[in-house]
C-alpha cells in the first residue's frame, strides 16, 4: 500500500523518481484554500500554450469558411450606428443634444457595448463548446474559457479600428486623457469577463442562461447610455446612474473626446470589484467542475 | 519502492435517475463545496450508487480489465480515476501522468487541416508544441495520412479521423493509461498495427481497460474486475471472470429475446452437458408462436470463454411450424479444443432476412478431446540439409 497519502488536489514532488501524486476525495477543496488558488492559477499558466492554440484554432476556423472574414467584425457596430443615425435624422426618435457629434457618440457607445456583450457571453459559450472535451479528458475548462475571452479581446481590437475614420471625419483631436485608454480597456474586459464567469456554473446545467443572455442584454442596452445620453430625471435616470456600465461608457467618450476625468474614479472602483469577482468566480468554477461534469451527463 | 500507481479505496459515487433532480442535486453539492462543507453521504430521492465501495490498485506494467454489463458503472469508475468527477465516499490516489484513450481526436475542428488538428489534439492531451513538432512526422506516418495531412478534417473518412486521433493519443508516454474500448481502430490491417503500438504502452504503464470484447480482455489483461450494479462483485484471473460474465451475460439463460410478432417465446428444454471430440451437440427448445410464423432458418453459434466465436452453422427449417412446437437441433462432428463453450441461437423468417428471436448464451457445455492438438518445431536448416 501507499506510503504517504496526501489530501485533495495536486502535489508535485521534486525528487526525480517520485511521480506527481493526486488524491481525489469527497472533501471540499476549500479545506486548503491557498493550494486551491495556487492550483487554479498555476494551471492557467501551465496551459498557456493550450489557450493560445485553442484561440488560434477558433480564429482560423471562423475565417477560413468565409469570404468577407473580418468585415463581419466591423459590420455590427457600423450597422447599429447607421440605424440610430437614420432614426434620429428622421425624427422617429429624438435624442437629446450630445456634447460631441451624435455619430461619434453612438459609435463609441456601440463598440464598447458590443465588446461588453461578447465578453459576457464568451465564458458560457466557450464552456458549452469545450464540453465534449473536458467531459471526457482531464483538461481545465478554464483554458477553453480563457481562449474565448482572448478571442473577444482580439475582436475588440479589430473593430475599435472603426473609430479611426470616424475621428478623422469629425476632426476630433483626442485630448491628453487618452493615456487612460489602457485603464478603460482593462476595466471593460474585466467587468464583462467577471459577469460572464459568474454565469458559467448555472449556465452549464440549465440552458435557460444561454437563452436569457441575448434577451436581457437587448433590454439592458437601453438602460445604459449606449445610443443616447443619460436622461436627467425619471426612473430611467436613477437606473442609469447606478448601472456599472454607465461610468465605463461615459468615461470612454470623455477621455477620447472632451478630456473630462469625472468618470475615472468610479471606473477604477468598478475595476477593483470586477477583478475580485473574476478571481472568485474562477476558483468557484474549479470547485464545482466535478459536479458539473457529473450532472451534464455521460 | 511502492509501485501502485492507482489506488482506489472504497470509492463510491451517487447518480440520480431523474434529470431535473439530478441538476438540482448538482447545485446542492456545488453549494456544499463552495461553503467548504462536505455533503451528506446518504442517498437522496431517486439516487442510486453508480459505484459503491470499489477498492483496487494497479501497478506499473499491470493491466486491469473492467467488465460488466451496460450500466454496471465501468465508465463512471474511469471518470473517477481520471479526476473528472469526485467520489462521494472513499478516495482515489493517482501517481504519475495520466493518459486516456477515451475520446480520440478530442477538439478536432472539421474546417481545419489534419496538421493543425494534430497540434490542437496533442495540446489537449498535454503535449507541448515543441514535443508535438518532434513527434509530428512519426504520428502522420503511423496514421498513414501524409497524403491528406493538409486537407481539412471534414474531408476525412471516419476511419482516417480515428487513425489520426489514435496516432496522437498513443504518441504520449503516460504512467497511467485509461482505456475505454478504443484499443484498435481502422481496418483489420491497421488494427493489427495499432495493437502492436498499444502493447508497447501497456508494458510501461499501469493500465485500466474497459471493454466488452472478452477476446481482448483475455488477451491483454492480467487481472479482471467484474462489476455489477456499481459494485465490484468479483476479481481474479481473466478466464474465470470472463466465464462468470458470460454466464450472466443475459439474465435470460435458457430463453431468447423475441423481435416482431411471429414468435411469442422460446424456452430451452434439454441440452448436452458434455460433448466429446467429433461428437454431437444436441439441444431442443420449445417454441410458442402465432398461427403463421414462417420461420425458415436458424443460426447456431458456439462461443468460447474469451467471447470469440469458435464455430457457427446455418440450419434450414423446412416444415411448417404449428403454434406450439418443439424444435430439436443436432450439431454433428463437433471438433473443439477442451474448454467450456456457450451457445447462441438466432431464428429467422422471411428467407433468412428477418431476425425473430435471439438468444445470447442459451446454455453452456463442456467440450473434451482425448487428443490434444500439438505441433513440433522443425528447424529450417535441417530440412534443407537432408
Amino acid at each position: 500500500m501507499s506510503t504517504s497519502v496526501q489530501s485533495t488536489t495536486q502535489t508535485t514532488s521534486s525528487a526525480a523518481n517520485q511521480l506527481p501524486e493526486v488524491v481525489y476525495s469527497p472533501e471540499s477543496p476549500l479545506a486548503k484554500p491557498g493550494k486551491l488558488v495556487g492550483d487554479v492559477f498555476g494551471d492557467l499558466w501551465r496551459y498557456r500554450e493550450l489557450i493560445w492554440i485553442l484561440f488560434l484554432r477558433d480564429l482560423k476556423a471562423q475565417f477560413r469558411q468565409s469570404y468577407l472574414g473580418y468585415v463581419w467584425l466591423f459590420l455590427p457596430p457600423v450597422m447599429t450606428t447607421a440605424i440610430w443615425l437614420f432614426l434620429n435624422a428622421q425624427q422617429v426618435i429624438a435624442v437629446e443634444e450630445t456634447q460631441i457629434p451624435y455619430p461619434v457618440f453612438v459609435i463609441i457607445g456601440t463598440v464598447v457595448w458590443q465588446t461588453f456583450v461578447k465578453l459576457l457571453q464568451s465564458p458560457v459559450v466557450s464552456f458549452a463548446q469545450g464540453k465534449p472535451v473536458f467531459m471526457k479528458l482531464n483538461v481545465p475548462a478554464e483554458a477553453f474559457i480563457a481562449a474565448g475571452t482572448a478571442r473577444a479581446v482580439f475582436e475588440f481590437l479589430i473593430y475599435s479600428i472603426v473609430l479611426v475614420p470616424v475621428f478623422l471625419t469629425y476632426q476630433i483631436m483626442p485630448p491628453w486623457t487618452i493615456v487612460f485608454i489602457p485603464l478603460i480597456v482593462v476595466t471593460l474586459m474585466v467587468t464583462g469577463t467577471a459577469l460572464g464567469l459568474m454565469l458559467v456554473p448555472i449556465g452549464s446545467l440549465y440552458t435557460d442562461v444561454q437563452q436569457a443572455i441575448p434577451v436581457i442584454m437587448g433590454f439592458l442596452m437601453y438602460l445604459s447610455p449606449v445610443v443616447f445620453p443619460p436622461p436627467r430625471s425619471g426612473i430611467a435616470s436613477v437606473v442609469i446612474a447606478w448601472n456599472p456600465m454607465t461610468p465605463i461608457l461615459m468615461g470612454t467618450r470623455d477621455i477620447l473626446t472632451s478630456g473630462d476625468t469625472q468618470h475615472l474614479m468610479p471606473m477604477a472602483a468598478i475595476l477593483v470589484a470586477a477583478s475580485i469577482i473574476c478571481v472568485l468566480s474562477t476558483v468557484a468554477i474549479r470547485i464545482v467542475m466535478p459536479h458539473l461534469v457529473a450532472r451534464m451527463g455521460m | 519502492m511502492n509501485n501502485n500507481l492507482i489506488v482506489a479505496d472504497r470509492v463510491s459515487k451517487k447518480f440520480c435517475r431523474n434529470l431535473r433532480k439530478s441538476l438540482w442535486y448538482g447545485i446542492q453539492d456545488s453549494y456544499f463545496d463552495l461553503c467548504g462543507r462536505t455533503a451528506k453521504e446518504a442517498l437522496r430521492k431517486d439516487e442510486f450508487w453508480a459505484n459503491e465501495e470499489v477498492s483496487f490498485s494497479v501497478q506499473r506494467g499491470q493491466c486491469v480489465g473492467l467488465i460488466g454489463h451496460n450500466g454496471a458503472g465501468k465508465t463512471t469508475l474511469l471518470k473517477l480515476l481520471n479526476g473528472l468527477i469526485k467520489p462521494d465516499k472513499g478516495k482515489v490516489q493517482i501517481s504519475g501522468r495520466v493518459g486516456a484513450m477515451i475520446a480520440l481526436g478530442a477538439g478536432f475542428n472539421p474546417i481545419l487541416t489534419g496538421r493543425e488538428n494534430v497540434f490542437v489534439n496533442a495540446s489537449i492531451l498535454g503535449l507541448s508544441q515543441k514535443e508535438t513538432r518532434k513527434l509530428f512526422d512519426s504520428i502522420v506516418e503511423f496514421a498513414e495520412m501524409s497524403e491528406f495531412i493538409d486537407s481539412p478534417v471534414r474531408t476525412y473518412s471516419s476511419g482516417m479521423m480515428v487513425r489520426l486521433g489514435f496516432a496522437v493519443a498513443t504518441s504520449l508516454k503516460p504512467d497511467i493509461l485509461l482505456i475505454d474500448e478504443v484499443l484498435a481502430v481502422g481496418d483489420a490491417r491497421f488494427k493489427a498495427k495499432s495493437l502492436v503500438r498499444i502493447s508497447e504502452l501497456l508494458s510501461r504503464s499501469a493500465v485500466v481497460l474497459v471493454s466488452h470484447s472478452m477476446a481482448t480482455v483475455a488477451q491483454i489483461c492480467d487481472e479482471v474486475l467484474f462489476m455489477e450494479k456499481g459494485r465490484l462483485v468479483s476479481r481474479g484471473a481473466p478466464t474465470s471472470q470472463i466465464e462468470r460474465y458470460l454466464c450472466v451475460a443475459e439474465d435470460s439463460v435458457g430463453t431468447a429475446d423475441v423481435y416482431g410478432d411471429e414468435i411469442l417465446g422460446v424456452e430451452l428444454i434439454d441440452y448436452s452437458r458434455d460433448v466429446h471430440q467429433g461428437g454431437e451437440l444436441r439441444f431442443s427448445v420449445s417454441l410458442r408462436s402465432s398461427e403463421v410464423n414462417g420461420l425458415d432458418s436458424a443460426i447456431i453459434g458456439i462461443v468460447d470463454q474469451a467471447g470469440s466465436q469458435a464455430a457457427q452453422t446455418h440450419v434450414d427449417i423446412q416444415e411448417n411450424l404449428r403454434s406450439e412446437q418443439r424444435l430439436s437441433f443436432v450439431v454433428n462432428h463437433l471438433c473443439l479444443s477442451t474448454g467450456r463453450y456457450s451457445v447462441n441461437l438466432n431464428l429467422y423468417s422471411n428467407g433468412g432476412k428477418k431476425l425473430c428471436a435471439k438468444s445470447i448464451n442459451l446454455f453452456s457445455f463442456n467440450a473434451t478431446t482425448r487428443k490434444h492438438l500439438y505441433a513440433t518445431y522443425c528447424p529450417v536448416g535441417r530440412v534443407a540439409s537432408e
Side-chain angles (χ1 to χ4, degrees):
Chain A
M1 277 288 114
S2 176
T3 44
S4 70
V5 177
Q6 315 274 342
S7 77
T8 343
T9 63
Q10 215 153 326
T11 359
T12 319
S13 168
S14 54
N17 59 347
Q18 271 221 315
L19 297 162
E21 189 171 274
V22 199
V23 172
Y24 303 110
S25 72
E27 197 183 26
S28 166
L30 275 179
K32 296 199 168 171
K35 197 169 177 29
L36 173 69
V37 174
D39 278 348
V40 172
F41 293 97
D43 270 358
L44 271 180
W45 175 247
R46 197 155 354 112
Y47 282 91
R48 62 194 183 281
E49 211 176 58
L50 175 62
I51 296 170
W52 176 245
I53 288 178
L54 290 172
F55 165 70
L56 284 183
R57 173 193 74 169
D58 294 338
L59 202 64
K60 284 181 194 161
Q62 182 183 2
F63 296 119
R64 197 160 290 179
Q65 223 187 343
S66 121
Y67 268 116
L68 294 177
Y70 292 88
V71 173
W72 293 112
L73 290 181
F74 292 111
L75 271 182
V78 172
M79 287 310 289
T80 316
T81 308
I83 291 165
W84 281 86
L85 288 181
F86 176 75
L87 292 178
N88 199 30
Q90 297 295 308
Q91 304 281 305
V92 177
I93 47 130
V95 174
E96 196 186 332
E97 197 63 28
T98 50
Q99 286 181 347
I100 51 176
Y102 186 62
V104 182
F105 184 95
V106 174
I107 199 136
I108 296 176
T110 40
V111 165
V112 171
W113 184 256
Q114 192 179 326
T115 307
F116 173 69
V117 173
K118 281 239 165 119
L119 282 162
L120 188 142
Q121 283 179 322
S122 167
V124 175
V125 172
S126 311
F127 191 92
Q129 283 168 351
K131 215 154 120 176
V133 176
F134 50 70
M135 296 256 307
K136 296 206 160 158
L137 300 170
N138 198 343
V139 187
E142 295 91 323
F144 288 80
I145 294 174
T149 301
R151 176 139 158 239
V153 173
F154 173 79
E155 291 184 359
F156 161 73
L157 295 178
I158 296 287
Y159 53 62
S160 58
I161 295 172
V162 299
L163 296 179
V164 176
V166 173
F167 274 67
L168 288 177
T169 312
Y170 290 91
Q171 296 183 336
I172 296 168
M173 186 58 204
W176 67 274
T177 44
I178 54 165
V179 296
F180 290 113
I181 285 179
L183 174 70
I184 296 178
V185 175
V186 171
T187 309
L188 179 60
M189 303 295 146
V190 176
T191 310
T193 308
L195 294 175
L197 286 175
M198 280 167 65
L199 297 174
V200 167
I202 302 282
S204 60
L205 291 182
Y206 297 98
T207 50
D208 305 57
V209 172
Q210 273 206 58
Q211 313 263 16
I213 291 176
V215 178
I216 292 173
M217 292 319 280
F219 178 66
L220 284 182
M221 181 173 151
Y222 300 101
L223 290 180
S224 312
V226 178
V227 287
F228 46 76
R232 300 220 173 78
S233 60
I235 299 169
S237 73
V238 179
V239 174
I240 289 181
W242 285 98
N243 183 341
M245 282 308 286
T246 304
I248 298 177
L249 283 159
M250 298 308 287
T252 309
R253 289 194 188 102
D254 283 350
I255 71 154
L256 286 179
T257 56
S258 67
D260 188 341
T261 56
Q262 60 159 328
H263 293 291
L264 283 181
M265 275 319 283
M267 215 192 272
I270 291 169
L271 175 60
V272 172
S275 304
I276 294 170
I277 295 176
C278 251
V279 172
L280 291 180
S281 304
T282 311
V283 174
I285 289 173
R286 170 63 68 102
I287 295 173
V288 303
M289 196 60 204
H291 298 299
L292 301 184
V293 172
R295 304 296 170 177
M296 284 188 299
M298 294 315 279
Chain B
M1 206 190 104
N2 190 329
N3 247 341
N4 278 334
L5 299 189
I6 304 174
V7 180
D9 181 18
R10 285 172 292 119
V11 172
S12 307
K13 180 74 198 166
K14 294 183 263 191
F15 270 166
C16 179
R17 289 182 191 91
N18 178 302
L19 176 69
R20 277 278 168 90
K21 279 210 186 76
S22 171
L23 296 178
W24 175 238
Y25 292 155
I27 302 266
Q28 285 183 347
D29 293 345
S30 305
Y31 170 77
F32 277 120
D33 267 3
L34 286 173
C35 298
R37 284 159 41 192
T38 308
K40 290 188 193 77
E41 282 181 2
L43 291 180
R44 290 162 287 195
K45 192 165 180 279
D46 280 338
E47 277 191 321
F48 63 97
W49 291 107
N51 274 168
E52 195 176 2
E53 305 271 319
V54 177
S55 301
F56 66 97
S57 59
V58 191
Q59 300 189 338
R60 192 184 288 281
Q62 197 187 9
C63 177
V64 167
L66 281 180
I67 60 174
H69 310 297
N70 293 330
K74 307 179 296 284
T75 304
T76 306
L77 186 54
L78 273 198
K79 287 194 168 190
L80 283 162
L81 297 180
N82 204 359
L84 296 176
I85 54 183
K86 61 187 272 184
D88 289 318
K89 278 198 284 181
K91 63 169 182 261
V92 176
Q93 192 182 333
I94 298 288
S95 323
R97 193 169 168 187
V98 181
M101 299 277 298
I102 290 170
L104 289 185
F108 271 14
N109 186 313
I111 294 164
L112 301 183
T113 65
R115 180 185 301 273
E116 289 162 325
N117 274 308
V118 165
F119 279 92
V120 175
N121 188 220
S123 180
I124 285 173
L125 294 176
L127 278 180
S128 72
Q129 291 229 59
K130 211 172 128 200
E131 288 172 290
T132 314
R133 240 173 262 128
K134 234 184 277 170
L135 291 167
F136 187 79
D137 289 336
S138 73
I139 290 173
V140 175
E141 194 193 334
F142 180 82
E144 298 166 20
M145 295 293 295
S146 31
E147 207 179 320
F148 309 103
I149 197 65
D150 287 310
S151 314
V153 162
R154 67 168 167 192
T155 62
Y156 289 9
S157 72
S158 55
M160 288 155 88
M161 208 120 78
V162 289
R163 256 157 48 196
L164 196 58
F166 184 90
V168 178
T170 50
S171 60
L172 278 86
K173 307 276 179 266
D175 300 300
I176 292 166
L177 189 60
L178 306 175
I179 306 176
D180 197 348
E181 292 285 4
V182 275
L183 259 178
V185 295
D187 54 21
R189 192 185 56 82
F190 197 84
K191 268 207 173 87
K193 201 172 135 182
S194 41
L195 270 175
V196 172
R197 180 149 165 147
I198 211 155
S199 59
E200 290 162 17
L201 289 181
L202 297 181
S203 56
R204 73 166 84 87
S205 317
V207 185
V208 177
L209 163 77
V210 166
S211 181
H212 286 285
S213 157
M214 292 305 127
T216 312
V217 171
Q219 200 184 331
I220 69 170
C221 293
D222 308 304
E223 193 190 2
V224 170
L225 310 181
F226 178 41
M227 291 186 74
E228 218 170 24
K229 291 182 183 146
R231 303 192 72 106
L232 221 163
V233 288
S234 70
R235 61 173 71 188
T239 43
S240 65
Q241 298 309 307
I242 290 168
E243 183 176 12
R244 210 180 151 135
Y245 169 79
L246 292 175
C247 284
V248 284
E250 292 292 302
D251 302 326
S252 54
V253 176
T255 60
D257 288 334
V258 172
Y259 311 98
D261 49 10
E262 287 94 340
I263 294 178
L264 305 173
V266 178
E267 231 167 292
L268 183 70
I269 305 172
D270 192 26
Y271 64 97
S272 332
R273 265 85 177 163
D274 296 286
V275 179
H276 292 292
Q277 190 182 31
E280 288 174 348
L281 172 72
R282 290 172 173 274
F283 65 96
S284 331
V285 293
S286 81
L287 193 75
R288 281 182 301 115
S289 58
S290 52
E291 283 300 311
V292 195
N293 58 45
L295 203 65
D296 52 27
S297 62
I299 287 179
I300 301 168
I302 297 174
V303 177
D304 69 15
Q305 276 177 309
S308 346
Q309 187 96 327
Q312 177 171 309
T313 178
H314 178 268
V315 188
D316 280 323
I317 301 169
Q318 270 132 11
E319 56 183 327
N320 277 328
L321 299 174
R322 296 183 307 276
S323 55
E324 288 278 338
Q325 174 86 32
R326 183 188 167 103
L327 278 180
S328 293
F329 297 95
V330 182
V331 183
N332 290 311
H333 308 302
L334 200 57
C335 290
L336 296 166
S337 46
T338 302
R340 196 163 172 79
Y341 296 84
S342 69
V343 172
N344 297 344
L345 177 68
N346 293 358
L347 297 173
Y348 296 90
S349 67
N350 194 16
K353 289 191 194 101
K354 183 175 183 296
L355 179 66
C356 306
K358 181 181 183 71
S359 174
I360 295 167
N361 197 23
L362 187 66
F363 63 92
S364 298
F365 68 93
N366 293 312
T368 47
T369 58
R370 258 164 258 120
K371 288 181 200 158
H372 273 282
L373 188 66
Y374 71 97
T376 50
Y377 168 66
C378 297
V380 181
R382 192 177 299 171
V383 177
S385 66
E386 273 168 6

